[in-house]
Amino acid sequence: MALTGRAGLLAALGALVVLVAPDPPMAVLGLALLLAALVLLDLLFAGSVRGLRFQRDGERLVRLGESVTVGLVVENPGRRRVRGVVRDAWPPSAGAAPRHLRVDVPPGQRRRLVTTLTPTRRGDREAVTVTVRSLGPLGLAARQGSHLVPWSVRVLPPFLSRKHLPAKLARLRELDGRHPALVRGQGTEFDSLREYVVGDDVRSIDWRASARRSDVVVRTWRPERDRRVLIVLDTGRTSAGRVGVAPQPGQASGQAFGWPRLDWSMDAALLLAALAARAGDRVDFLAYDRTVRAWLSGASRTDLLSSLVNAMAPIEAELVEADSPGMVAAVLARARRRCLVVLLTDLNAAAMEEGLLPVLPRLSSRHTVLVAAVADPRVAAMASERDTAEQVYDAAAAERLRGERRRITARLRGQGVEVVDALPEDIAPALADAYLALKAAGRL
Amino acid sequence: MSTVTAPSSVSTSPTAKGMWRSGRGILLVALLVLATALVPVLLSSPGTEDRRLDPGDSSDVGAQALAELLGRRGVTVVRVESVFALLAAAGPDSQLLITDTGFLTDYDARRIAGSGRDRLIVGAVRHLDILAKGVLAKEHVRARSREPRCDLRQAARAGSAYLGGASFTAPAGSTGCYPAAGRPTLVRYALDGGTVTVAGDGSFMTNLRLAEDGNAALAMNLAGARPRLIWLATPKAGDSGLAGPEGRSLGDFIPAGVGWAIVQLAVAVGVVALWRGRRLGPVVAERLPVVVRASETVEGRGRLYRARRARDRAALALRGAAIDRLAPRLGLPPTASPEEVVAAAAARTGRDAPEVRSALYGPAPVDDGALVALAGYLDTLERQVRDS
């Protein structure tokens, strides 16, 4: 049950009555009894809340930064009209609006209410409860009750770097030899033989085949296809650190604190996956900290991206040190054939030296390894500000960190591992470029 | 509604039966607490509040016995509760008995003193300077049975009595009795045409002590000196002493309805509190991800350098970074020796080799100024190498 402002107003107006009443104590008592009687009457004649039936419909998926509507159908099987307010409660980060919905359902009918969700972070958002406050005919008191109407909306990573996809696909077509500007594709896999036409690179003439025929024949090449790319996402503690500026609008706190490395890494992974799928490679995905957080394998090229964002959506950074030997073992167990292992992690000197570097040879001996890390623009800014003593000390600390990253990068490259270390906004295109370079060099 | 695919809803509100089940234990405990609180109150006699030295009080601290005795001796005892009533009742043949001056204002005390009637003040020290001019209360002494040791007739006849409380300095021409440590605890003297009697303690008049020693005799002698005794009793708590000249306080001018209207407003406030206090559904908790800037460790290290004035380490980090960036630009391998780097940088920029060497490989700066200067020099050197 709940009272309304009208009941409070009535009680306050009662004070005026008491002021002029001949017997004030009795007036107070009488008013209290009258109010109680009216409230009881109202409660008695209010529409039943318990009997209401709810159903939901609407969207299940939304990209971060976009809005989605979820419908709530209220059915009133009771004999009395249900009039009042409904609160469809969602977690705060689901960004549900409006907070309260007016509802007026005559007996035996149903009404559809619409809640708009504008989530402010990635992950699964579960509806909490639906609370109905059903007012009585006098509007003095209301029945109140809650219902569980389960529904969940999965907030997908926004894939902001898809704006880079057309440019990278154009680069891919150049490799493929389909681009008119290039006569001979830079691919490394033998495709077929065809007749020489003027303008072909003479180096690509296949003399043996030309000798068999009476014509000059050139070999055509195409980029290698059907290679395997395994994207490994480190979800350990280093991925929780926030860098850069959160790109999606309408998230005040996120703007100030940036976006977790994990989200930038996901963005880069999505661009790489989209590119690799177009290039005809097979993409697998593994998220790992101390256990396997997500594993996606064998997705077809057409629904790879949707499967990938679905797999990524619920992943959160865990505040534990990543278990690098375990991760390498998990990769080795899953990737039987030679593949490109793209490891999205942080070039944290302490974590790397203790964890990844000792076990990396086991991985790099069987697979091509590419390590991609998101650099912190704040560190670069600190390193370049050198006006006062305080800033110089900060710059020294920043330079020290960058020196450590350079050292780790050098050691990784020394082991034959490709390294991409770029700022948050650049990591996705940089990773795509590194992939294309590997593909062009035929190193997959 | 073909789009509806979700399972139907489940009510989570407690039912009346469930509420009774979960709440009956608490209800039982609450009832038990209420019962244990109420039973002793109900069983105890409807005893009145103890009013010290009140002629209508029959408890140990009251003085009903004395009032009865005085009545039998033909003294009319008039009990009043306000100064207005006191002065209205006082006539030429009356004596005022004041047992408590704590509730009197200065104005009240002055009006009593100004009436010039005989007055007997027992066990009170407040406003004594007005009511009994010239008598000064000195130190506190223990009340016990004392000898009169004076020639005041009423005291000498009564003999030993239970007195004490305060001892006084008596003005000239007064009689002091029942001395304690050389000072009297009962003083009687004439003032402005009336007789003023001050006793340090009123216990000898109480129902408890009246039968002891010569207490009754002393009390009768002092209080029964005139045919009428106007007895100023302590007003009941709640009656403010702010009686106006007409005997009406400010509260008397406010209609009775106002107080009850305020009660009604309090009810309204309660109703409004219930209205605003009822939440529409539960508070929703959410497990939020940790919010921590990745650069925090770097900033922390910077603050540590600053706090410890670690110029050597700071300079080392800056120089190392500068050399790492210079070496490839100068066409040197990362393994190049310091001499090679210095020579190449000096040759490229046209600076003196010793100067470049001291910047890149010199000793740690001696103060913060030198550190800032070093950082500036390294910046300039890098820029010149880059732009050359």
Side-chain angles (χ1 to χ4, degrees):
Chain A
M1 116 179 217
L3 294 177
T4 64
R6 213 177 276 188
L9 188 67
L10 199 68
L13 289 176
L16 292 178
V17 177
V18 170
L19 211 52
V20 296
D23 189 353
M26 286 314 287
V28 169
L29 191 67
L31 278 168
L33 288 176
L34 179 71
L35 192 66
L38 288 176
V39 164
L40 274 178
L41 201 72
D42 232 15
L43 285 177
L44 212 59
F45 285 103
S48 167
V49 169
R50 189 182 307 282
L52 289 177
R53 285 205 283 267
F54 294 89
Q55 280 177 319
R56 281 190 196 274
D57 59 85
E59 307 283 334
R60 287 263 189 196
L61 294 173
V62 60
R63 266 189 209 290
L64 182 61
E66 291 172 5
S67 291
V68 74
T69 56
V70 173
L72 178 70
V73 176
V74 189
E75 188 188 346
N76 180 12
R79 281 178 291 114
R80 283 186 296 272
R81 188 186 197 88
V82 171
R83 184 174 60 88
V85 283
V86 171
R87 175 180 167 222
D88 188 5
W90 289 81
S93 71
R99 278 178 60 81
H100 298 157
L101 298 152
R102 297 231 151 262
V103 68
D104 189 354
V105 191
Q109 295 195 21
R110 46 172 62 171
R111 291 284 182 272
R112 184 167 183 268
L113 308 171
V114 175
T115 304
T116 306
L117 304 181
T118 313
T120 51
R121 67 186 178 87
R122 198 169 37 73
D124 287 336
R125 299 285 161 270
E126 303 273 350
V128 185
T129 50
V130 173
T131 306
V132 183
R133 184 174 283 185
S134 164
L135 290 172
L138 297 172
L140 288 175
R143 295 191 190 185
Q144 182 171 324
S146 295
H147 288 256
L148 268 184
V149 195
W151 191 264
S152 79
V153 170
R154 174 159 285 191
V155 187
L156 305 173
F159 192 13
L160 297 162
S161 58
R162 65 176 177 273
K163 65 187 175 199
H164 297 293
L165 193 55
K168 301 303 166 196
L169 285 176
R171 284 276 315 278
L172 187 69
R173 278 195 295 274
E174 287 172 16
L175 294 186
D176 222 1
R178 270 185 264 160
H179 198 278
L182 268 172
V183 178
R184 179 192 164 182
Q186 285 176 329
T188 46
E189 199 171 68
F190 175 70
D191 187 16
S192 61
L193 294 170
R194 62 169 170 79
E195 281 181 17
Y196 176 84
V197 292
V198 179
D200 273 348
D201 190 345
V202 291
R203 286 176 296 176
S204 62
I205 294 172
D206 187 332
W207 295 109
R208 195 183 297 244
S210 303
R212 274 203 293 275
R213 303 193 195 176
S214 57
D215 202 355
V216 182
V217 171
V218 292
R219 292 174 182 218
T220 57
W221 306 85
R222 63 166 192 182
E224 37 192 13
R225 293 179 72 85
D226 291 318
R227 300 303 152 121
R228 288 167 176 273
V229 178
L230 173 56
I231 300 171
V232 182
L233 191 60
D234 173 8
T235 58
R237 67 172 176 87
T238 53
S239 67
R242 296 192 174 225
V243 294
V245 178
Q248 79 267 25
Q251 193 187 358
S253 62
Q255 290 282 345
F257 286 101
W259 231 20
R261 274 209 173 90
L262 186 68
D263 288 56
W264 292 113
S265 299
M266 282 183 183
D267 207 41
L270 284 172
L271 182 66
L272 176 63
L275 194 60
R278 291 290 190 89
D281 291 334
R282 299 196 40 189
V283 180
D284 298 333
F285 172 73
L286 174 71
Y288 197 93
D289 43 70
R290 297 197 79 82
T291 62
V292 176
R293 296 282 165 200
W295 167 241
L296 177 74
S297 174
S300 72
R301 270 157 207 169
T302 44
D303 64 350
L304 171 73
L305 267 188
S306 58
S307 313
L308 202 53
V309 289
N310 250 314
M312 282 176 174
I315 297 175
E316 290 289 344
E318 300 291 326
L319 295 186
V320 292
E321 188 72 50
D323 171 21
S324 296
M327 186 175 66
V328 168
V331 170
L332 288 176
R334 282 167 174 77
R336 308 220 175 271
R337 285 166 53 193
R338 184 176 176 80
C339 62
L340 170 67
V341 176
V342 178
L343 184 54
L344 288 153
T345 181
D346 183 34
L347 294 173
N348 182 301
M352 275 280 180
E353 274 167 9
E354 301 264 315
L356 190 62
L357 279 172
V359 292
L360 202 57
R362 285 171 55 202
L363 201 59
S364 56
S365 63
R366 286 190 52 187
H367 304 289
T368 310
V369 181
L370 193 155
V371 173
V374 183
D376 191 347
R378 174 90 188 99
V379 172
M382 278 169 73
S384 60
E385 284 170 7
R386 298 179 172 193
D387 296 333
T388 65
E390 280 70 25
Q391 285 177 346
V392 170
Y393 281 119
D394 280 351
E399 289 288 15
R400 192 192 146 106
L401 180 88
R402 296 213 293 189
E404 280 173 355
R405 280 179 91 99
R406 273 198 301 273
R407 220 177 58 241
I408 291 290
T409 307
R411 283 184 66 179
L412 286 172
R413 290 204 169 119
Q415 294 194 12
V417 173
E418 290 294 318
V419 180
V420 174
D421 184 6
L423 293 177
E425 283 79 13
D426 306 330
I427 183 74
L431 182 60
D433 286 343
Y435 165 77
L436 289 172
L438 283 174
K439 198 164 185 64
R443 286 185 56 197
L444 291 184
Chain B
M1 284 291 163
S2 58
T3 53
V4 174
T5 54
S8 57
S9 56
V10 184
S11 174
T12 56
S13 305
T15 57
K17 199 173 172 184
M19 276 167 83
W20 164 245
R21 272 204 193 135
S22 60
R24 63 188 168 186
I26 298 166
L27 201 66
L28 190 70
V29 170
L31 280 177
L32 269 175
V33 168
L34 199 67
T36 46
L38 280 181
V39 164
V41 174
L42 293 175
L43 287 183
S44 68
S45 62
T48 52
E49 196 185 338
D50 286 350
R51 288 163 296 172
R52 188 173 159 78
L53 290 177
D54 191 304
D57 190 309
S58 58
S59 72
D60 280 352
V61 298
Q64 197 178 18
L66 179 60
E68 291 277 331
L69 286 177
L70 287 168
R72 268 184 231 162
R73 281 269 299 271
V75 177
T76 313
V77 177
V78 181
R79 182 181 179 277
V80 295
E81 281 197 358
S82 74
V83 176
F84 179 76
L86 178 81
L87 295 176
D93 61 341
S94 43
Q95 180 178 218
L96 312 180
L97 172 55
I98 299 161
T99 58
D100 183 10
T101 53
F103 66 94
L104 296 180
T105 61
D106 270 11
Y107 175 71
D108 290 336
R110 257 185 236 110
R111 282 203 303 164
I112 294 171
S115 68
R117 306 277 175 224
D118 288 359
R119 47 193 182 270
L120 171 60
I121 302 156
V122 295
V125 289
R126 195 156 173 255
H127 299 311
L128 213 56
D129 51 337
I130 302 166
L131 291 168
K133 209 175 201 170
V135 176
L136 277 177
K138 287 292 178 180
E139 70 265 36
H140 180 87
V141 294
R142 197 168 64 80
R144 63 178 177 83
S145 180
R146 295 181 196 277
E147 293 301 319
R149 293 180 214 275
C150 67
D151 47 5
L152 184 69
R153 198 163 43 84
Q154 288 90 334
R157 279 202 195 150
S160 66
Y162 189 86
L163 269 167
S167 62
F168 306 100
T169 54
S174 67
T175 316
C177 300
Y178 300 99
R183 294 182 191 282
T185 60
L186 183 119
V187 176
R188 181 169 195 141
Y189 67 112
L191 180 71
D192 301 338
T195 311
V196 177
T197 313
V198 183
D201 186 69
S203 295
F204 69 98
M205 289 183 169
T206 59
N207 298 335
L208 177 69
R209 303 270 178 206
L210 201 65
E212 295 173 6
D213 275 355
N215 288 351
L218 178 66
M220 295 289 287
N221 289 344
L222 291 177
R226 295 284 183 140
R228 272 164 65 85
L229 180 69
I230 318 298
W231 194 317
L232 179 63
T234 310
K236 283 196 209 77
D239 281 4
S240 74
L242 292 169
E246 286 83 35
R248 299 176 71 186
S249 66
L250 188 64
D252 295 340
F253 291 100
I254 298 172
V258 172
W260 288 102
I262 290 169
V263 171
Q264 178 63 30
L265 278 180
V267 171
V269 167
V271 171
V272 170
L274 285 177
W275 163 44
R276 300 306 303 172
R278 182 80 164 111
R279 225 175 14 236
L280 190 56
V283 171
V284 180
E286 184 179 6
R287 188 175 166 266
L288 288 169
V290 61
V291 175
V292 56
R293 284 216 64 106
S295 57
E296 255 177 32
T297 51
V298 183
E299 281 160 11
R301 188 187 288 276
R303 278 195 291 273
L304 270 181
Y305 279 167
R306 206 182 311 164
R308 307 301 308 162
R309 299 282 155 207
R311 285 180 288 275
D312 47 348
R313 286 169 185 279
L316 207 62
L318 291 172
R319 284 167 170 161
I323 293 164
D324 279 357
R325 281 191 293 263
L326 281 175
R329 290 191 183 281
L330 294 170
L332 296 169
T335 52
S337 71
E339 285 310 316
E340 285 171 324
V341 175
V342 169
R348 182 77 73 89
T349 57
R351 289 172 184 266
D352 286 345
E355 184 187 307
V356 174
R357 183 183 294 111
S358 90
L360 288 178
Y361 297 100
V366 288
D367 56 17
D368 282 359
L371 183 66
V372 176
L374 173 67
Y377 186 88
L378 291 174
D379 268 359
T380 316
L381 191 68
E382 273 186 60
R383 196 166 52 245
Q384 284 178 345
V385 169
R386 194 172 60 228
D387 297 344
S388 61

